[in-house]
């Protein structure tokens, strides 16, 4: 289920919404040695983009720089553009709009942009994404924005994780869920086992002990019917066109599209059934009949 790839975002935001953790991470990434967490001012915006899409964490550190953290399980090449739009909205809130009309130069915090990745692709430990790569004319670069991307998939050799306990613990927790899922557990089982294991081994212990009841909701994908249907439609069209061309049948593309869309929708319904979602809610988001949902439930 392709649309479910962002299911870890709210957990990351909740876990790192802590000034001491942010200070530790900022010192590591920026090579600074701040010790007073009071210097941190969390500035995360809410509902910045379409579908109430949020940046994970942004904060200001003693007016020296802004740090924006985005957590992703897939690499989005448009991150520099997203960060540019986000920074513009953030600065609109941080500065006095009337000061823009003064002759005196307006001083603003110097922004830094970071992405933490822990998806399935084998990416290097660190790489950079640049806004200029999206320019129609790449011969001139009057504006640049660089995003530093760090691979935080758990590994004993991951140097960044070795230097930051909070990030290491988070990576271990996610890795445990991934492994449980790969071993055939349902999402609920995978999360519950990972919570118990991590609390027992002092991994995110205080956070998980305090918010264990909320963690499942944080991790589970929050459905948006229109977005989900658009994703299914696009995937079904791609699969349908491919199947139609391969079969070389008259109206093969149209039939293939319908078949691909039907399969994609039923696959989504099966995943929702595995996550113990209400049948009426499944019917609402997939447009499948309750009878068909009942038939699919018998396949599990």
């Amino acid at each position: 289920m392709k649309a479910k790839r962002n299911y870890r975002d709210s957990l990351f935001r909740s876990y790192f919404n802590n000034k001491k953790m942010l200070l530790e991470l900022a010192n590591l990434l920026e090579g600074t040695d701040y010790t007073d967490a009071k210097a941190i001012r969390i500035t995360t915006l809410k509902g910045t983009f379409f579908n109430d899409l949020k940046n994970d964490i942004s904060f200001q550190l003693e007016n020296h720089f802004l740090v924006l953290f985005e957590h992703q399980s897939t690499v989005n090449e448009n991150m520099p553009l997203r960060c540019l739009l986000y920074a513009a909205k953030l600065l609109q809130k941080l500065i006095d709009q009337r000061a823009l009309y003064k002759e005196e130069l307006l001083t603003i915090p110097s922004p830094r942009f970071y992405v933490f990745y822990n998806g399935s692709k084998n990416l290097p430990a660190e790489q950079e994404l640049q806004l200029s790569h999206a320019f129609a004319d790449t011969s001139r670069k009057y504006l640049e924005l660089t995003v530093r991307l760090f691979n935080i998939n758990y590994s004993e050799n991951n140097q960044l994780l070795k230097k930051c306990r909070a990030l290491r613990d988070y990576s271990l927790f996610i890795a445990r869920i991934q492994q449980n899922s790969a071993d055939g557990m349902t999402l609920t089982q995978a999360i519950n086992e990972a919570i118990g294991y991590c609390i027992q081994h002092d991994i995110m212990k205080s956070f998980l002990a305090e918010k264990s009841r909320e963690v499942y909701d944080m991790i589970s994908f929050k459905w948006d019917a229109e977005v989900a249907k658009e994703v299914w439609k696009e995937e079904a069209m791609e699969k349908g066109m491919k199947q139609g061309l391969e079969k070389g049948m008259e109206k093969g593309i149209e039939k293939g599209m319908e078949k691909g869309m039907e399969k994609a929708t039923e696959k989504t319904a099966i995943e929702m059934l595995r996550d113990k979602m209400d049948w009426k809610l499944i019917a609402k988001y997939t447009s499948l009949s309750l009878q068909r949902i009942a038939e699919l439930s018998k396949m599990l």
Side-chain angles (χ1 to χ4, degrees), residues 8-9 12 56 69-73 116-118 152 170:
R8 305 184 193 94
D9 290 355
F12 182 88
D56 283 327
F69 298 126
E70 280 279 353
H71 167 249
Q72 296 183 328
S73 54
F116 296 125
Y117 169 85
N118 70 340
I152 61 168
Y170 176 81

Side-chain angles (χ1 to χ4, degrees), residues 44-59:
T44 309
L45 297 178
K46 297 180 179 180
T48 306
F49 301 110
F50 66 92
N51 188 31
D52 199 34
L53 184 63
K54 301 177 182 67
N55 134 279
D56 283 327
I57 297 287
S58 66
F59 63 91

Side-chain angles (χ1 to χ4, degrees), residues 21-276:
M21 288 185 183
L22 292 177
L23 190 66
E24 177 188 2
L25 201 48
N27 282 334
L28 173 61
L29 296 172
E30 292 291 323
T32 51
D33 56 0
Y34 290 99
T35 58
D36 187 1
K38 293 181 180 179
I40 295 286
R41 176 191 174 195
I42 297 176
T43 58
T44 309
L45 297 178
K46 297 180 179 180
T48 306
F49 301 110
F50 66 92
N51 188 31
D52 199 34
L53 184 63
K54 301 177 182 67
N55 134 279
D56 283 327
I57 297 287
S58 66
F59 63 91
Q60 186 173 343
L61 179 56
E62 288 195 342
N63 204 35
H64 292 302
F65 51 79
L66 296 174
V67 181
L68 293 89
F69 298 126
E70 280 279 353
H71 167 249
Q72 296 183 328
S73 54
T74 57
V75 176
N76 187 332
E77 297 293 338
N78 293 311
M79 279 307 305
L81 180 56
R82 285 181 56 187
C83 285
L84 176 65
L85 297 175
Y86 185 90
K89 289 180 177 293
L90 185 58
L91 288 171
Q92 282 183 326
K93 290 185 173 294
L94 293 178
I95 64 177
D96 180 359
Q97 300 297 302
R98 293 174 298 178
L100 294 172
Y101 299 94
K102 295 181 179 180
E103 292 185 2
E104 182 180 356
L105 181 65
L106 179 63
T107 301
I108 62 174
S110 176
R112 306 285 196 273
F113 304 97
Y114 299 99
V115 168
F116 296 125
Y117 169 85
N118 70 340
S120 58
K121 291 185 178 180
N122 185 23
L123 297 185
E126 179 181 353
Q127 60 181 297
E128 292 186 348
L129 304 176
Q130 295 183 324
L131 179 65
S132 60
H133 291 166
F135 294 169
D137 180 2
T138 58
S139 63
R140 297 181 179 182
K141 301 178 182 180
Y142 294 116
L143 174 66
E144 188 60 280
L145 185 152
T146 300
V147 176
R148 295 175 66 189
L149 186 149
F150 293 93
N151 185 345
I152 61 168
N153 278 304
Y154 182 74
S155 167
E156 292 292 341
N157 297 321
N158 190 312
Q159 297 301 310
L160 189 66
L161 300 186
K162 285 183 177 181
K163 298 175 182 178
C164 181
R165 170 69 185 273
L167 201 58
R168 171 185 172 275
D169 282 5
Y170 176 81
S171 179
L172 271 168
F173 179 60
I174 295 300
R176 189 75 182 181
I177 296 176
Q178 291 172 332
Q179 185 58 55
N180 289 341
S181 297
D183 290 340
M185 292 186 187
T186 65
L187 181 59
T188 301
Q189 292 171 335
I191 295 170
N192 288 337
E193 193 283 335
I195 290 174
Y197 174 88
C198 288
I199 290 177
Q200 182 180 356
H201 292 82
D202 194 21
I203 299 168
M204 291 177 66
K205 184 175 180 179
S206 59
F207 176 83
L208 293 175
E210 178 186 352
K211 300 192 175 184
S212 59
R213 294 184 180 181
E214 304 172 34
V215 169
Y216 179 80
D217 290 333
M218 291 180 189
I219 295 177
S220 298
F221 181 77
K222 295 182 180 179
W223 285 92
D224 181 285
E226 295 304 317
V227 174
K229 287 180 180 179
E230 284 297 318
V231 173
W232 300 336
K233 182 178 179 181
E234 291 172 4
E235 291 184 333
M237 288 179 65
E238 292 173 0
K239 292 178 181 177
M241 291 178 68
K242 183 178 180 180
Q243 292 174 5
L245 289 171
E246 289 177 347
K247 292 179 180 179
M249 298 170 58
E250 184 177 358
K251 296 184 179 181
I253 292 179
E254 180 180 350
K255 291 181 180 180
M257 286 168 57
E258 293 176 356
K259 185 176 181 180
M261 196 167 189
E262 180 181 350
K263 286 185 176 180
T265 302
E266 291 186 351
K267 182 178 179 182
T268 297
I270 289 173
E271 290 294 329
M272 294 171 78
L273 285 167
R274 284 176 177 160
D275 288 346
K276 311 296 184 184

